[in-house]
Amino acid sequence: MLQHLITQDENLRMVPTDRDALTTAAAGLREELRNPATDADRRRMLTRWAGIASTALGDYQSARTFLRQALDLATAGSNTRAVIATQLNLGDAYRYAGETHTADTLYRSALDTARAQQPDLLDYALQHFAKHLMERGDLDGARAHLREALRLRQAKGDAELIESTQAAVDRVEMLLAPTGASAPAESSQWSSRWTSWLQAHTSTHVPHRWNDGFPTIRGSVRALTQHARVHPQHLRNQFPPELLSAMTEEAEKALAAEGYLHNGKWNAPVGDAANRFADEVDLASAVTRATGLDVEQPHTGVYIAYLDEGQFLDFHLDELGFGEANLILCLKHERPAAGSAASTIVFITADGYRACDLAPGDCVVFDGALTPHGRTPHAAGESVVLISFGFHARNRVPWAAGHLPPAPR
């Protein structure tokens, strides 16, 4: 809701990207809360985000008030997922205010509930608790929890989540390093540095400026993408319709029941239909035939959805360990009204920007660790459901960051 207005500082605490804009947006949430007709679910969401905004703005008393209300609403509605998420946010509000005992109680409760009842939220609970441990000085405990979170996020295959946890791991490793020791290994920060540089120089959000901006980044991108093992290939409608339909149904149910919003898109874990699809079509062989790279069956998969006007995914690189090939398959695409441009997956290649408009049943295969990619903003009335798979090459020798071009400075 307000994710685009909040970032993290060097200590991994929430801060505004634009203080005035966040203050205005938070006031809008409070105004909507004054409407007695607002239903319980909407009220819970509004109070939670009002609390998160207050935390980022440094108003911890207001943050605790709003988040306690949100927690009460989540508990009254027997919404376990919302209870966990709100406990983590409330723990942050207490931690930022220096009330570590109460924060510890909230984090541990959320962590225990996630392990027992909502394992797909466990990575979030682990990361929040690890930051708490880090600030208390328990660096070994923080590192152990972050490594567990990183393994879970690598299994989810979400590059932004992986980068977020890797940044926290890097912070702990830096704090653990003896005085005078070098910073964390370059390989642990390589993709995040490239992502930061890419987003400073271009954005999927402003495609009309691409051609003007490309000459300034052409050389750097060419030096990067020449190492890609798989260049973007659009493969059209080659899978059995009945398997696609089963996955689409599973994806919509998972997104409705377990979807979580991160970096502008909805994610949800895959299930039996996705696993059956990968086995029955022998997805590894399909990728091998298309790319010439001999890959194993996918080691990870995640459902992705863009359902709201304006949602987009900015240019980024996946973490180097995610895999040597990615496949994104379109399950459903409800297009905007006539006159509005449809959203597309977009890549930056050595020759410029390449848009890839996937119809249901189409897919694109590429090397996500070495090919900048993202998605342009969705128009009004548009929605799309995708599934993303990650593949390792057989007998692979993973890239080491030291053998790849560093991010420009």
Side-chain angles (χ1 to χ4, degrees):
M1 181 174 281
L2 301 179
Q3 294 95 323
H4 62 294
L5 296 175
I6 298 173
T7 188
Q8 292 187 345
D9 63 14
E10 63 179 8
N11 295 315
L12 307 181
R13 286 192 169 198
M14 293 187 295
V15 292
T17 59
D18 182 327
R19 189 174 188 86
D20 290 342
L22 182 58
T23 300
T24 300
L29 300 185
R30 294 194 295 273
E31 180 64 29
E32 188 174 348
L33 280 168
R34 295 189 183 97
N35 183 352
T38 304
D39 65 47
D41 283 342
R42 178 70 177 172
R43 185 170 295 276
R44 173 185 56 75
M45 183 172 64
L46 291 170
T47 52
R48 177 174 172 240
W49 275 102
I52 293 171
S54 295
T55 302
L57 290 165
D59 184 356
Y60 305 131
Q61 182 173 349
S62 293
R64 292 193 296 267
T65 298
F66 281 119
L67 289 167
R68 282 288 180 191
Q69 292 173 3
L71 184 57
D72 289 343
L73 289 167
T75 302
S78 300
N79 189 331
T80 305
R81 295 179 63 82
V83 167
I84 294 169
T86 310
Q87 284 181 322
L88 295 174
N89 300 142
L90 187 56
D92 289 347
Y94 277 100
R95 171 165 61 92
Y96 289 17
E99 298 182 43
T100 57
H101 179 75
T102 303
D104 189 89
T105 300
L106 288 161
Y107 289 136
R108 290 182 186 277
S109 176
L111 185 57
D112 290 345
T113 306
R115 284 194 189 278
Q117 300 181 44
Q118 297 289 342
D120 63 305
L121 295 181
L122 182 55
D123 55 320
Y124 290 94
L126 287 164
Q127 182 149 327
H128 280 260
F129 187 52
K131 291 178 183 178
H132 166 63
L133 293 177
M134 182 169 55
E135 291 190 6
R136 286 176 48 191
D138 183 0
L139 299 181
D140 288 329
R143 179 167 58 182
H145 284 78
L146 286 170
R147 285 177 173 173
E148 184 181 357
L150 186 59
R151 288 193 297 272
L152 292 170
R153 290 187 163 181
Q154 287 171 338
K156 284 182 174 180
D158 187 305
E160 290 79 15
L161 292 179
I162 292 168
E163 289 168 4
S164 171
T165 305
Q166 186 64 62
V169 170
D170 291 345
R171 175 69 176 170
V172 171
E173 295 290 358
M174 182 182 69
L175 294 172
L176 281 166
T179 302
S182 61
E186 183 73 15
S187 59
S188 68
Q189 300 184 12
W190 182 86
S191 61
S192 62
R193 286 174 176 168
W194 263 104
T195 294
S196 295
W197 182 83
L198 289 163
Q199 293 178 359
H201 287 79
T202 187
S203 173
T204 63
H205 198 246
V206 284
H208 63 280
R209 294 176 54 189
W210 287 351
N211 291 334
D212 293 338
F214 184 66
T216 66
I217 65 174
R218 178 186 287 116
S220 297
V221 171
R222 180 175 289 125
L224 170 69
T225 59
Q226 69 180 359
H227 296 276
R229 291 143 293 195
V230 177
H231 297 284
Q233 296 186 53
H234 187 167
L235 309 178
R236 300 182 188 276
N237 199 16
Q238 55 182 265
F239 300 118
E242 64 274 11
L243 295 179
L244 297 175
S245 294
M247 267 199 302
T248 304
E249 182 179 356
E250 179 178 82
E252 291 181 324
K253 289 180 179 178
L255 289 160
E258 305 176 80
Y260 53 95
L261 189 61
H262 182 74
N263 281 2
K265 67 185 187 306
W266 290 95
N267 286 8
V270 299
D272 292 341
N275 295 327
R276 184 169 62 254
F277 166 80
D279 289 339
E280 292 194 16
V281 304
D282 192 0
L283 201 53
S285 294
V287 170
T288 298
R289 288 193 301 272
T291 66
L293 181 70
D294 189 14
V295 299
E296 302 170 346
Q297 281 290 86
H299 67 94
T300 186
V302 62
Y303 289 124
I304 299 169
Y306 298 83
L307 305 175
D308 302 311
E309 181 180 0
Q311 285 187 292
F312 72 102
L313 179 61
D314 220 343
F315 287 117
H316 64 282
L317 293 182
D318 296 336
E319 195 268 335
L320 278 172
F322 177 73
E324 286 68 50
N326 304 50
L327 182 147
I328 295 179
L329 170 63
C330 180
L331 299 175
K332 182 178 180 179
H333 192 172
E334 294 180 354
R335 294 183 175 270
S340 297
S343 171
T344 65
I345 296 173
V346 65
F347 303 93
I348 308 179
T349 71
D351 298 320
Y353 297 88
R354 176 183 173 185
C356 186
D357 188 355
L358 299 181
D362 288 359
C363 64
V364 61
V365 187
F366 61 102
D367 183 340
L370 294 169
T371 308
H373 57 286
R375 190 171 188 93
T376 58
H378 274 227
E382 186 177 17
S383 66
V384 66
V385 178
L386 310 164
I387 184 168
S388 174
F389 291 103
F391 301 80
H392 288 312
R394 296 185 191 276
N395 303 317
R396 66 192 181 107
V397 178
W399 283 119
H403 297 154
L404 295 168
R409 296 185 180 277

Coordinates of all heavy atoms in Angstrom, one line a residue, residues 236-268:
R236 N 6.2 -19.7 -27.9 CA 4.8 -19.5 -28.0 C 4.0 -20.8 -27.9 O 4.2 -21.7 -28.6 CB 4.5 -18.8 -29.3 CG 5.2 -17.4 -29.4 CD 4.8 -16.7 -30.7 NE 5.6 -15.5 -30.9 CZ 5.3 -14.4 -30.4 NH1 4.3 -14.2 -29.6 NH2 6.1 -13.3 -30.6
N237 N 3.1 -20.8 -26.9 CA 1.9 -21.7 -26.8 C 2.3 -23.2 -27.2 O 1.8 -23.7 -28.2 CB 0.8 -21.2 -27.6 CG -0.5 -21.9 -27.2 OD1 -0.6 -22.4 -26.1 ND2 -1.6 -21.8 -28.0
Q238 N 3.1 -23.8 -26.4 CA 3.6 -25.1 -26.7 C 3.3 -26.2 -25.6 O 3.8 -27.3 -25.7 CB 5.1 -25.2 -27.0 CG 6.0 -24.6 -25.9 CD 7.4 -24.6 -26.3 OE1 8.2 -25.5 -26.0 NE2 7.8 -23.6 -27.0
F239 N 2.4 -25.8 -24.6 CA 2.1 -26.7 -23.5 C 0.7 -27.1 -23.5 O -0.2 -26.4 -24.0 CB 2.5 -26.1 -22.2 CG 3.9 -25.7 -22.1 CD1 4.3 -24.3 -21.9 CD2 4.9 -26.6 -22.2 CE1 5.6 -24.0 -21.8 CE2 6.3 -26.3 -22.1 CZ 6.6 -25.0 -21.9
P240 N 0.3 -28.3 -23.0 CA -1.1 -28.8 -23.0 C -2.0 -27.9 -22.3 O -1.8 -27.5 -21.1 CB -0.9 -30.2 -22.3 CG 0.5 -30.6 -22.5 CD 1.3 -29.3 -22.4
P241 N -3.1 -27.5 -22.9 CA -4.1 -26.5 -22.3 C -4.6 -27.0 -20.9 O -4.8 -26.2 -20.0 CB -5.2 -26.4 -23.3 CG -4.5 -26.8 -24.6 CD -3.5 -27.8 -24.3
E242 N -4.8 -28.4 -20.8 CA -5.4 -28.8 -19.5 C -4.5 -28.7 -18.4 O -4.9 -28.4 -17.2 CB -5.8 -30.3 -19.7 CG -4.7 -31.3 -19.9 CD -4.3 -31.4 -21.4 OE1 -4.8 -30.6 -22.2 OE2 -3.6 -32.4 -21.7
L243 N -3.1 -28.8 -18.6 CA -2.2 -28.5 -17.5 C -2.1 -27.1 -17.2 O -2.0 -26.7 -16.0 CB -0.8 -29.1 -17.9 CG -0.7 -30.6 -18.1 CD1 0.7 -31.0 -18.6 CD2 -1.1 -31.4 -16.9
L244 N -2.2 -26.2 -18.2 CA -2.2 -24.8 -18.0 C -3.4 -24.4 -17.2 O -3.3 -23.5 -16.3 CB -2.1 -24.0 -19.3 CG -0.8 -24.2 -20.1 CD1 -1.0 -23.5 -21.5 CD2 0.4 -23.8 -19.4
S245 N -4.5 -24.9 -17.5 CA -5.8 -24.6 -16.8 C -5.7 -25.0 -15.3 O -6.1 -24.2 -14.4 CB -7.0 -25.3 -17.5 OG -7.2 -24.8 -18.8
A246 N -5.1 -26.2 -15.1 CA -5.0 -26.6 -13.7 C -4.1 -25.7 -12.9 O -4.4 -25.4 -11.7 CB -4.5 -28.1 -13.7
M247 N -3.0 -25.3 -13.5 CA -2.1 -24.4 -12.8 C -2.7 -23.0 -12.6 O -2.5 -22.4 -11.5 CB -0.8 -24.2 -13.7 CG 0.3 -25.1 -13.3 SD 1.9 -24.5 -13.9 CE 1.6 -24.4 -15.6
T248 N -3.5 -22.5 -13.6 CA -4.1 -21.2 -13.4 C -5.1 -21.3 -12.2 O -5.1 -20.3 -11.4 CB -4.9 -20.9 -14.7 OG1 -4.0 -20.9 -15.8 CG2 -5.5 -19.5 -14.6
E249 N -5.9 -22.3 -12.2 CA -6.8 -22.5 -11.0 C -6.1 -22.5 -9.7 O -6.4 -21.9 -8.7 CB -7.7 -23.7 -11.2 CG -8.7 -23.9 -10.1 CD -9.5 -25.2 -10.3 OE1 -9.4 -25.8 -11.4 OE2 -10.4 -25.5 -9.4
E250 N -5.0 -23.3 -9.7 CA -4.2 -23.4 -8.4 C -3.6 -22.0 -8.1 O -3.6 -21.6 -6.9 CB -3.1 -24.4 -8.6 CG -2.2 -24.6 -7.4 CD -1.1 -25.6 -7.6 OE1 -0.1 -25.3 -8.2 OE2 -1.3 -26.8 -7.1
A251 N -3.1 -21.3 -9.1 CA -2.4 -20.0 -8.8 C -3.4 -19.0 -8.3 O -3.1 -18.3 -7.3 CB -1.8 -19.5 -10.1
E252 N -4.6 -19.0 -8.8 CA -5.6 -18.0 -8.3 C -6.0 -18.3 -6.9 O -6.2 -17.4 -6.1 CB -6.8 -18.0 -9.3 CG -6.5 -17.4 -10.7 CD -7.6 -17.3 -11.6 OE1 -8.5 -18.2 -11.6 OE2 -7.7 -16.3 -12.4
K253 N -6.2 -19.6 -6.6 CA -6.5 -19.9 -5.2 C -5.4 -19.6 -4.3 O -5.6 -19.1 -3.2 CB -6.9 -21.4 -5.1 CG -8.2 -21.8 -5.8 CD -8.4 -23.3 -5.7 CE -9.8 -23.7 -6.3 NZ -10.0 -25.1 -6.3
A254 N -4.1 -19.9 -4.7 CA -3.0 -19.6 -3.8 C -2.8 -18.1 -3.6 O -2.5 -17.7 -2.5 CB -1.7 -20.2 -4.4
L255 N -3.0 -17.4 -4.6 CA -2.8 -15.9 -4.5 C -3.9 -15.3 -3.6 O -3.6 -14.4 -2.8 CB -2.9 -15.3 -5.9 CG -1.6 -15.5 -6.8 CD1 -1.9 -15.3 -8.2 CD2 -0.5 -14.7 -6.3
A256 N -5.1 -15.9 -3.7 CA -6.2 -15.3 -2.8 C -6.0 -15.7 -1.4 O -6.3 -14.9 -0.5 CB -7.5 -15.9 -3.4
A257 N -5.5 -16.9 -1.1 CA -5.4 -17.4 0.2 C -4.1 -17.1 0.9 O -4.0 -16.9 2.1 CB -5.6 -19.0 0.2
E258 N -3.0 -17.2 0.1 CA -1.7 -17.1 0.7 C -0.8 -16.0 0.0 O 0.4 -15.9 0.3 CB -0.9 -18.4 0.5 CG -1.7 -19.6 1.1 CD -0.9 -20.9 0.8 OE1 0.1 -21.2 1.6 OE2 -1.3 -21.6 -0.1
G259 N -1.4 -15.2 -0.9 CA -0.6 -14.2 -1.6 C 0.0 -13.1 -0.7 O -0.7 -12.7 0.3
Y260 N 1.2 -12.7 -1.0 CA 1.8 -11.6 -0.2 C 2.4 -10.6 -1.2 O 2.9 -11.0 -2.2 CB 2.9 -12.1 0.8 CG 3.9 -13.0 0.1 CD1 5.1 -12.5 -0.3 CD2 3.7 -14.4 0.0 CE1 6.1 -13.3 -0.9 CE2 4.7 -15.2 -0.6 CZ 5.9 -14.6 -1.1 OH 6.8 -15.4 -1.6
L261 N 2.2 -9.4 -0.9 CA 2.7 -8.3 -1.8 C 4.1 -7.9 -1.5 O 4.4 -7.7 -0.3 CB 1.8 -7.1 -1.6 CG 1.9 -5.9 -2.6 CD1 1.6 -6.4 -4.0 CD2 1.0 -4.8 -2.3
H262 N 4.9 -7.9 -2.5 CA 6.3 -7.5 -2.3 C 6.9 -6.9 -3.6 O 6.8 -7.4 -4.7 CB 7.2 -8.8 -2.0 CG 8.6 -8.4 -1.7 ND1 9.0 -7.8 -0.5 CD2 9.7 -8.6 -2.4 CE1 10.3 -7.6 -0.6 NE2 10.8 -8.1 -1.7
N263 N 7.4 -5.7 -3.4 CA 8.0 -4.9 -4.5 C 7.1 -4.8 -5.7 O 7.5 -5.0 -6.8 CB 9.4 -5.6 -4.9 CG 10.5 -5.2 -3.9 OD1 10.3 -4.5 -3.0 ND2 11.7 -5.7 -4.2
G264 N 5.9 -4.5 -5.4 CA 4.9 -4.2 -6.5 C 4.2 -5.4 -7.1 O 3.5 -5.2 -8.1
K265 N 4.4 -6.6 -6.7 CA 3.8 -7.7 -7.3 C 3.3 -8.7 -6.2 O 3.9 -8.7 -5.1 CB 4.7 -8.5 -8.2 CG 5.9 -9.2 -7.6 CD 6.8 -9.7 -8.6 CE 8.0 -10.6 -8.0 NZ 8.7 -9.9 -6.9
W266 N 2.3 -9.5 -6.5 CA 1.8 -10.5 -5.6 C 2.6 -11.8 -5.8 O 2.8 -12.2 -7.0 CB 0.3 -10.8 -5.8 CG -0.5 -9.6 -5.3 CD1 -1.0 -8.6 -6.1 CD2 -1.0 -9.3 -4.0 NE1 -1.7 -7.7 -5.3 CE2 -1.7 -8.2 -4.0 CE3 -0.8 -10.0 -2.8 CZ2 -2.3 -7.6 -2.9 CZ3 -1.4 -9.5 -1.6 CH2 -2.1 -8.3 -1.7
N267 N 3.0 -12.5 -4.8 CA 3.6 -13.8 -4.9 C 2.8 -14.8 -4.1 O 2.1 -14.5 -3.1 CB 5.0 -13.8 -4.3 CG 6.0 -13.0 -5.2 OD1 5.6 -12.4 -6.1 ND2 7.3 -13.1 -4.8
A268 N 2.9 -16.1 -4.5 CA 2.3 -17.2 -3.8 C 3.1 -18.5 -4.1 O 3.6 -18.6 -5.2 CB 0.8 -17.4 -4.2

